[in-house]
Amino acid sequence: MAISVNTVYQTVLALANKEQRGYITPQEFNLFAKQAQMEIFEQYFYDVNQFGRLPRGDYAFDPKQMVIDKLSIFSKQQSLVDQNPQNKSSHDSPLPVDWYRTKSVVANMPGNNRVIQKVSVEEYRKSTQGGYLTKPNALRAVYYNDFSNNRIVVFPNLADFSSYYGSSSTYSNVIMEYYRKPLDPKWTYVVVNDKAIWNPSQGAGGQDFQLHASEERDLILKILQLAGITIKDFALVQAAGQEVANVVQQEKQ
């Protein structure tokens, strides 16, 4: 269930103006909302790693699985189309426009799917210059993210498996499973008597937060932190920051 962008905005306004601290414009809120959502989203990946290192305990709810469940809404699959099929040395494909992080890359081979191993650019260079035993091949392919060109590169090109299967069998495609970026939250409005009024009507371009409903409190606190900096109310920044720290400590226990 999405978190209402209007509920968060109205709560932030009420808390920020509790002592006449200052008004947060819709434009400012939308910028803060985007930043806050991305901070929480990015933290999910660190939490998965951290919780994965914890000893197995008697949890009513597995904390690592809870984070994975929160990430599941952002999981997608896409076939990687080779942009230069004439190049037999590698399979180059642009990253999806909504790509954020790669989960896995799999080649559909005849009768079997093979997971393609991720390597760094440096590891890729070393492996492709190695000997027969270490150099990647169609049965032991690798991939790396070429961020400078916004693409993903699979080595070698997997179009022809005849040398391994004794026929002209070809793979059906290469599939990447990845996490997409959250859509930017946006509080849309109309101006009535010089006052911004929420306009949730279809076609206005509004967008609720896409995080799990349990993140509403964290979103409000993070936005208050950012708002406090803008209106130069460092007491608000400190109070919101302390509450964020308390929440994090509670979640990590």
Side-chain angles (χ1 to χ4, degrees):
M1 181 179 179
I3 301 174
S4 169
V5 69
N6 185 54
T7 298
V8 173
Y9 186 32
Q10 298 305 329
T11 302
V12 167
L13 285 180
L15 293 172
N17 285 310
K18 186 176 182 180
E19 298 175 5
Q20 301 301 313
R21 289 186 166 103
Y23 178 69
I24 303 168
T25 68
Q27 294 85 352
E28 290 172 335
F29 171 79
N30 286 335
L31 289 174
F32 301 155
K34 176 183 176 180
Q35 177 68 23
Q37 177 171 256
M38 286 305 299
E39 285 184 11
I40 294 174
F41 178 68
E42 174 65 17
Q43 187 61 42
Y44 287 159
F45 299 98
Y46 294 98
D47 288 344
V48 168
N49 289 334
Q50 180 179 350
F51 289 137
R53 293 193 298 267
L54 294 177
R56 305 264 323 164
D58 186 17
Y59 301 115
F61 298 96
D62 184 343
K64 178 181 177 181
Q65 188 59 50
M66 288 174 63
V67 179
I68 292 175
D69 290 343
K70 291 179 181 180
L71 276 169
S72 63
I73 185 177
F74 304 103
S75 182
K76 293 182 68 176
Q77 285 187 347
Q78 179 167 312
S79 295
L80 299 178
V81 179
D82 193 351
Q83 296 299 292
N84 187 18
Q86 289 76 29
N87 179 12
K88 299 301 182 180
S89 64
S90 64
H91 180 112
D92 298 0
S93 176
L95 289 168
V97 294
D98 61 350
W99 176 91
Y100 191 75
R101 289 203 174 169
T102 304
K103 293 176 65 178
S104 64
V105 179
V106 176
N108 295 143
M109 293 188 174
N112 189 23
N113 292 336
R114 289 187 179 272
V115 176
I116 300 175
Q117 180 184 356
K118 179 181 179 180
V119 295
S120 67
V121 176
E122 184 63 27
E123 290 170 333
Y124 164 77
R125 289 171 180 164
K126 289 181 179 179
S127 65
T128 54
Q129 295 170 1
Y132 176 79
L133 294 178
T134 60
K135 191 173 184 178
N137 56 49
L139 300 182
R140 193 176 64 251
V142 299
Y143 81 90
Y144 73 94
N145 292 318
D146 180 7
F147 295 119
S148 61
N149 294 299
N150 197 38
R151 62 176 186 158
I152 184 170
V153 179
V154 177
F155 183 88
N157 189 301
L158 305 179
D160 189 359
F161 288 88
S162 58
S163 59
Y164 297 95
Y165 291 94
S167 67
S168 60
S169 298
T170 60
Y171 73 108
S172 56
N173 53 12
V174 176
I175 297 177
M176 177 174 66
E177 187 174 8
Y178 68 99
Y179 290 113
R180 67 170 177 84
K181 300 174 184 176
L183 296 176
D184 295 341
K186 186 177 182 182
W187 191 81
T188 49
Y189 62 96
V190 293
V191 178
V192 179
N193 296 326
D194 295 326
K195 184 178 181 180
I197 304 297
W198 184 41
N199 178 24
S201 62
Q202 192 173 29
Q207 174 62 54
D208 284 331
F209 292 94
Q210 293 202 302
L211 300 178
H212 190 272
S214 64
E215 306 293 4
E216 183 172 328
R217 177 178 59 170
D218 285 359
L219 281 170
I220 292 170
L221 292 173
K222 287 183 178 296
I223 293 170
L224 282 172
Q225 275 188 294
L226 296 169
I229 295 173
T230 299
I231 62 179
K232 298 181 180 180
D233 187 332
F234 298 106
L236 177 61
V237 175
Q238 185 176 17
Q242 182 58 53
E243 187 60 30
V244 169
N246 293 339
V247 171
V248 171
Q249 184 179 8
Q250 179 183 7
E251 292 175 347
K252 296 296 193 288
Q253 287 179 346

